[in-house]
Amino acid sequence: MNFRSVMLLMVVVGVMPVRAQEKRAMTVKELFELVETGSKTLQESKTSVDFAQKGVEAARAQRLPDVNASLSASYNGNVVIMDRDFTNAQGFSSPHFGNSFALEAQQVVYAGGAVNAGIRIAGLQRDMAVSGQRATLNAQRFMALGQYLDLFKIQNRLKVYEQNIALTRRLIDDIHAKQEQGMALKNDVTRYELQMETLMLGLRKLQDQQAILNHQLCNTLGINEVSIVPDSTIVSQAFAKDNQQYWQQAALTSSPQMEHSELSTKMAEQQLKLAKSELLPKVAVVAADNFSGPFTYDIPPIDKNINYWYVGVGVRYNLSSLFKQNKKVRQAKTGVLRSQQQQKVVAESLDNQVQQAWTLWQQTYSDLDTQKKSVQLARQNYEVVNERYLNQLALITDMLDASNIRLNAELQEVDARINIVYAYYKMKFIAGNL
């Protein structure tokens, strides 16, 4: 088997696993939809929202009355009375069966705002869980998009390598022919065979990278492994070139980071109200009914049931809060101040992130213009060298170099277009509306 046959077999064997796998064309819209339905990380985030909602329901239940009931049956022994010095003991027969039933209800009518503050805190915790879910969805979509675009780049590079391999194979065939005619040395053949091995190794590495990225993307989307084929039309998509102020405002109003920071400040304010509520009295309406027998508070005990009930208003005040709770109030006030300062830090960080992302986004358009010019010059160079080669005024090595320059320039242009897409979606990711 000659070298050419070995190389061809290596190419076929190398690409068989990828080609044997089912292919699935996928747009960015479909990608985002699959993330929302299949991401395991997002499912965990949704469970956190459900957990927080149950916390709101539990906090609201604190407004309901407290009701306690007790029921008991007992065996009562006989009564014995004696003097204090344990003399003159005398026994009395007592009814042996005892029963007791008690029912007590209490409804808090004023707790210094503690109940309402607790409900608002639970509601804010739910809102923070929802904000966290939005942030997770935003991050998962951006991660999947990065894998998707990297996969697109690799697939384009594979095409470049395959074309380079085909051109190198042509060169090897030409040199073999010249060697048979005595116009080339064995060393020339060896030189390009080594180049072919380098290209084959590069191709294999790209195929491995493609397999790794494809596997990771399928896991991110929560789907059975298929060979994902990105939508090539994405690089020709036109994006609105909104100014930096637009994105700055979008980040302040939509960013999950900013929303989380604002909710943290509101949470600290409610914690302050909760701390202050301990300085106020608690007022509750109480009602109770007690049914028991026998009546044992008389000698001898009376074998009858007795029932009594009452309704009233109870007031409770913790006097120790006057010298303890003020310290917790001061701590809560500091917590509010800290949250407000953290909110400003987040806003400043977002401002820097948006400015950097917007600047780099504009830069990608300049890069694309440069790559377009490079492609134009590379194609012109290729046409000139090709014409010279056809007229036997240039060597096949000149053709190979010109072809490599053209293919690499075209690849860089496609990468530049992909970079525009990535930079645009990064802006949306930072703004929180991906």
Side-chain angles (χ1 to χ4, degrees), residues 224-264:
N224 294 328
E225 188 161 356
V226 294
S227 180
I228 296 175
V229 181
D231 180 15
S232 60
T233 62
I234 191 175
V235 295
S236 58
Q237 183 178 352
F239 300 111
K241 293 186 178 181
D242 299 302
N243 57 32
Q244 185 181 157
Q245 287 70 29
Y246 167 83
W247 290 104
Q248 292 284 8
Q249 186 60 37
L252 288 176
T253 56
S254 303
S255 170
Q257 297 179 53
M258 200 66 203
E259 183 180 18
H260 189 276
S261 178
E262 291 171 353
L263 289 172
S264 295

Side-chain angles (χ1 to χ4, degrees), residues 173-200:
D173 290 342
D174 184 71
I175 294 177
H176 271 298
K178 289 183 178 181
Q179 185 187 21
E180 292 175 358
Q181 298 171 7
M183 299 173 61
L185 300 176
K186 176 64 176 176
N187 185 54
D188 296 329
V189 177
T190 304
R191 172 187 172 189
Y192 290 104
E193 286 178 346
L194 289 173
Q195 182 177 352
M196 175 65 84
E197 288 187 6
T198 302
L199 288 171
M200 292 299 299

Side-chain angles (χ1 to χ4, degrees), residues 11 34 43 77 96 117 233 239 259 265 298 304 307 325 335 363 372 382 410 428:
V11 172
L34 286 171
Q43 293 301 320
H96 294 306
T233 62
F239 300 111
E259 183 180 18
T265 300
D298 198 0
K304 291 183 180 296
N307 183 77
Q325 196 62 25
Q363 181 180 319
K372 285 180 178 179
Y382 179 82
E410 290 174 348
K428 292 175 70 67

